Amino acid sequence: MSHIILDAPVSLLRQRLIDDMNMRRFSRETQRNYLRDIGRLATFLGRSPDTATADDLRRFQIEQQEDGVPVPTMNSIVSALRFFFTHTLDRPDLARRLVRLAHPRRLPVVLSRDEVARLLNATTCLKHQAALSVAYGAGLRVAEVSTLKVADVDSERMLLRVERGKGGRYRNAMLSEDLLALLREWWKAGRQQGVMHRDGWLFPGQHAMKPISTRQLYRVVVEAAQVADIAKRVGPHTLRHSFATHLLEDGTDIRIIQVLLGHAKLNSTAFYAKVATKTVRTVTSPFDKLGLFKPRESSPNG
């Protein structure tokens, strides 16, 4: 498929868009997605997307809906186009024409602690076990795990520095004693293999100069789950969901979990309360406190 904004490597418009994203420290994956989604509009128009009118945007979204494009995908395209029209073109009036659709958010799949342990033990090498352990032990997104560098491990302050989280935000993630011990074990093994360098990636890919890909991490999780006989549909983000849910069940303040996850809004973190079943079970119902009903004493014969 030909995308006008992608097919012109010397396009000033394309370069301006890339510069705007770089200035806001968007990740490479986000930039790739935005270029692709803006390219969809260009293909629909058959001309440069900066010539779009309000009616063009309306027809574009109607056609997407009629073609059965999933709501999350449509909303992702809206995010890309709103950025393009607001920041690159300085046309916020057009950005306001784009409609974001409401859709019910599915409850995330969460593993029990036993399932997490089985999954981590089912990995085939120390690098994979360490990478998935970071995803669970620090609650990192898969792209954040992929782009960690050796220098991001701060053993003095017991922190992991996440340089470019979602939206280009910087934050500190937690680093536990056991996770640090595992990372040190991987550091020694990686040095012996000649793939680890002090200024390099914490989890190198097939080529030491590049980080492990998010796709490979996804495959690692799926294969480990199969070996561990876990029937749930899991991916790297399942470990992040499990991290948040287990902290909530252990009584950790939800605002602290929000900071650890790097959520901009508390309602994103509060969603985990819906799957924290242990938390629900530990709450005493106000009905029980009325004391209206006492358990009947069973008779010797009954």
Side-chain angles (χ1 to χ4, degrees):
M1 182 180 291
S2 175
H3 289 338
I4 292 174
I5 198 168
L6 299 179
D7 290 346
V10 294
S11 164
L12 292 177
L13 177 63
R14 181 179 187 276
Q15 189 57 52
R16 195 160 73 234
L17 171 61
I18 293 172
D19 290 343
D20 288 337
M21 292 190 290
N22 283 332
M23 186 166 56
R24 289 162 180 80
R25 299 187 180 277
F26 283 11
S27 68
R28 284 175 295 179
E29 184 176 5
T30 298
Q31 293 195 31
R32 186 168 58 247
N33 291 341
Y34 274 32
L35 287 168
R36 178 200 63 209
D37 290 342
I38 296 166
R40 293 188 190 198
L41 175 62
T43 301
F44 169 80
L45 296 173
R47 60 183 193 274
S48 181
D50 63 340
T51 65
T53 65
D55 188 60
D56 287 332
L57 297 181
R58 180 175 179 275
R59 290 188 299 105
F60 175 60
Q61 287 206 282
I62 290 174
E63 182 176 284
Q64 283 187 311
Q65 199 166 31
E66 291 176 347
D67 287 346
V69 176
V71 170
T73 302
M74 288 187 65
N75 286 340
S76 296
I77 296 171
V78 167
S79 296
L81 293 178
R82 281 182 176 175
F83 180 87
F84 175 65
F85 287 116
T86 301
H87 299 286
T88 302
L89 296 184
D90 193 21
R91 291 292 307 276
D93 56 307
L94 286 178
R96 288 193 293 269
R97 296 283 185 166
L98 294 158
V99 179
R100 184 179 292 275
L101 303 177
H103 68 100
R105 184 177 175 185
R106 293 181 181 178
L107 290 177
V109 173
V110 173
L111 302 178
S112 67
R113 287 173 170 81
D114 174 68
E115 288 173 327
V116 172
R118 281 159 43 203
L119 186 142
L120 295 178
N121 286 328
T123 51
T124 57
C125 67
L126 188 57
K127 179 175 77 173
H128 293 165
Q129 185 182 48
L132 299 192
S133 295
V134 167
Y136 173 70
L140 266 56
R141 301 177 178 91
V142 63
E144 295 170 346
V145 174
S146 169
T147 54
L148 279 176
K149 295 181 179 178
V150 173
D152 293 330
V153 181
D154 188 341
S155 58
E156 291 186 5
R157 297 193 298 159
M158 296 302 291
L159 297 170
L160 288 172
R161 287 189 292 269
V162 181
E163 289 197 358
R164 291 193 182 185
K166 190 173 183 180
R169 293 184 292 270
Y170 289 70
R171 80 174 194 278
N172 290 321
M174 66 185 297
L175 175 62
S176 69
E177 293 285 352
D178 285 356
L179 185 56
L180 176 61
L182 176 59
L183 291 177
R184 283 176 169 163
E185 192 177 335
W186 159 235
W187 164 256
K188 293 176 183 176
R191 294 284 282 180
Q192 291 176 350
Q193 297 169 20
V195 298
M196 294 287 282
H197 308 282
R198 291 194 179 277
D199 58 348
W201 303 105
L202 184 59
F203 303 112
Q206 293 181 340
H207 302 288
M209 298 303 292
K210 292 185 178 181
I212 190 171
S213 69
T214 55
R215 287 184 180 181
Q216 186 178 357
L217 285 173
Y218 186 89
R219 287 195 296 269
V220 168
V221 172
V222 171
E223 290 171 2
Q226 290 175 344
V227 173
D229 197 25
I230 296 172
K232 297 173 181 175
R233 185 176 181 178
V234 301
H237 218 67
T238 308
L239 294 170
R240 176 174 160 89
H241 291 323
S242 302
F243 163 86
T245 304
H246 294 166
L247 283 179
L248 193 60
E249 290 182 339
D250 287 341
T252 305
D253 189 281
I254 196 165
R255 290 176 180 81
I256 295 176
I257 300 174
Q258 177 189 3
V259 172
L260 294 175
L261 291 174
H263 281 162
K265 297 179 181 179
L266 183 60
N267 60 2
S268 298
T269 316
F271 193 68
Y272 290 107
K274 296 184 178 181
V275 290
T277 56
K278 182 180 175 183
T279 303
V280 175
R281 292 196 304 269
T282 58
V283 175
T284 300
S285 168
F287 179 81
D288 289 357
K289 292 186 177 182
L290 296 177
L292 296 178
F293 295 91
K294 302 292 183 183
R296 298 178 180 177
E297 294 183 4
S298 56
S299 65
N301 297 327

